[in-house]
């Protein structure tokens, strides 16, 4: 479990704009911006819809999954 937690933390620290991700709430989207001072990520989830989530709730990179191909 600690190994998995370290992998997630490493992923969260390497987030980049344009990356396709899924949040802890199961919302799929694309990273639009990252605010390191507030520890938040703006995620575009639909056309003209951007949500702000805590960086610790972004769990997966969805770039190489069947849903995003």
């Amino acid at each position: 479990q600690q190994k998995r937690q370290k992998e997630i933390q490493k992923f969260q620290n390497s987030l980049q704009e344009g990356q396709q991700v899924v949040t802890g709430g199961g919302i799929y989207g694309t990273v639009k911006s990252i605010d390191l001072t507030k520890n938040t990520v703006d995620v575009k989830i639909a056309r003209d819809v951007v949500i702000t989530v805590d960086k610790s709730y972004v769990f997966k990179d969805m770039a190489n999954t069947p849903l995003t191909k």
Side-chain angles (χ1 to χ4, degrees):
Q1 189 173 9
Q2 285 181 348
K3 182 179 177 183
R4 177 73 177 132
Q5 187 62 33
K6 285 182 182 183
E7 289 174 7
I8 291 170
Q9 191 170 21
K10 182 179 176 183
F11 164 72
Q12 290 167 342
N13 290 334
S14 68
L15 284 173
Q16 297 178 2
E17 291 180 14
Q19 193 170 7
Q20 295 177 331
V21 296
V22 64
T23 68
I27 299 172
Y28 291 75
T30 303
V31 175
K32 284 308 198 187
S33 64
I34 302 164
D35 186 337
L36 296 176
T37 59
K38 294 180 182 177
N39 204 38
T40 59
V41 179
D42 289 337
V43 180
K44 181 178 179 181
I45 59 173
R47 186 179 314 146
D48 298 325
V49 180
V50 177
I51 61 171
T52 302
V53 296
D54 191 281
K55 191 168 97 171
S56 63
Y57 282 92
V58 178
F59 291 132
K60 293 182 184 176
D61 181 353
M62 301 310 294
N64 296 318
T65 63
L67 283 175
T68 57
K69 287 187 177 180

